[in-house]
Amino acid sequence: MDPIILASSSPRRQEILKLLNIPFVVNPPDIDEKKYSDIEIKKIPEYLACQKVNSIVRKISKEQETVGWVLGADTIIHFKGKLYGKPDSKESAKKMLKTFQGKSHEVITGLALYNGELHDIATRTNINKIYFAPMTETEIDWYVNTGEWHGVAGGYRIQGLASCFIKKIEGQESGIMGLPIFELYDMLKEQNYPFI
């Protein structure tokens, strides 16, 4: 199989590629993830995933003639018309969890796959719904003190201790983790990625 360049340093995305036995190399992009305007909320992750891919394609094109496969992904939380990205402090993480507790919100992941042979980018969007149980102040403090909020949209990891408070999921756990397996496989198959 051809190695894919993963335009992300996310350990969760790496875990999913390993699970699928897809060879990859990590090459984090250099983009401003807060730079978007006049884009419909549900299209922002796909837009940012494309920006990540384009950043890597431009960088590699300067170093070598050919670029093979580049995969970008971006995940956001959407709640009542507002976007929630990665919290930058414990206080920010607590505030997010207080907002989500006892309610539901959407986790939206956008994917972009560059096919160097076709010089084309395919995209997909995966939308999931998370239902949080009500949480006490003590539970929120306990969770935030675990440090799991670092580097993740919404300030929680579904595959970690946050699962103690997640009452229900509508959608794919892999999408919530940042790399939806069905959409990824569908894109790779459509682009004739050599799985075998």
Side-chain angles (χ1 to χ4, degrees):
M1 276 192 270
D2 296 341
I4 289 176
I5 297 166
L6 177 61
S8 170
S9 56
S10 163
R12 259 58 54 202
R13 292 183 180 125
Q14 293 174 44
E15 284 169 21
I16 290 170
L17 288 175
K18 284 176 189 170
L19 173 75
L20 298 172
N21 291 318
I22 295 173
F24 66 93
V25 291
V26 174
N27 194 338
D30 183 22
I31 68 158
D32 182 354
E33 292 188 37
K34 294 181 180 168
K35 198 171 183 180
Y36 47 80
S37 59
D38 301 327
I39 297 173
E40 183 187 328
I41 285 177
K42 293 186 179 183
K43 295 187 184 217
I44 290 171
E46 204 172 279
Y47 168 79
L48 291 173
C50 284
Q51 295 304 305
K52 291 175 181 183
V53 165
N54 284 325
S55 166
I56 299 304
V57 170
R58 280 192 302 274
K59 184 166 54 168
I60 292 173
S61 295
K62 289 178 186 173
E63 300 165 4
Q64 60 193 50
E65 283 184 34
T66 58
V67 181
W69 301 92
V70 182
L71 175 65
D74 194 80
T75 302
I76 60 165
I77 306 283
H78 176 230
F79 178 68
K80 293 190 175 179
K82 190 175 172 188
L83 292 186
Y84 293 82
K86 299 169 187 170
D88 55 9
S89 66
K90 271 186 169 186
E91 290 67 35
S92 177
K94 282 182 188 180
K95 193 174 177 185
M96 286 184 190
L97 289 170
K98 281 181 185 176
T99 301
F100 303 148
Q101 62 92 24
K103 302 176 186 80
S104 67
H105 60 268
E106 290 181 322
V107 178
I108 306 168
T109 297
L111 294 179
L113 177 69
Y114 177 79
N115 180 334
E117 192 176 307
L118 300 176
H119 302 284
D120 187 46
I121 296 179
T123 60
R124 296 281 189 286
T125 294
N126 172 266
I127 301 175
N128 304 279
K129 205 165 193 179
I130 303 288
Y131 294 81
F132 258 89
M135 297 170 74
T136 65
E137 285 281 337
T138 304
E139 288 172 326
I140 291 170
D141 286 342
W142 170 77
Y143 181 72
V144 170
N145 285 328
T146 68
E148 278 193 357
W149 61 270
H150 284 282
V152 287
Y156 68 90
R157 293 187 199 281
I158 190 168
Q159 73 281 16
L161 295 170
S163 58
C164 295
F165 309 107
I166 294 170
K167 189 163 50 172
K168 183 175 153 188
I169 297 170
E170 290 176 6
Q172 297 177 46
E173 190 170 330
S174 62
I176 298 160
M177 289 170 62
L179 194 58
I181 292 173
F182 174 79
E183 284 80 359
L184 173 62
Y185 179 74
D186 193 49
M187 283 170 57
L188 290 167
K189 189 167 70 169
E190 180 185 89
Q191 295 293 316
N192 295 315
Y193 177 77
F195 278 103
I196 299 169

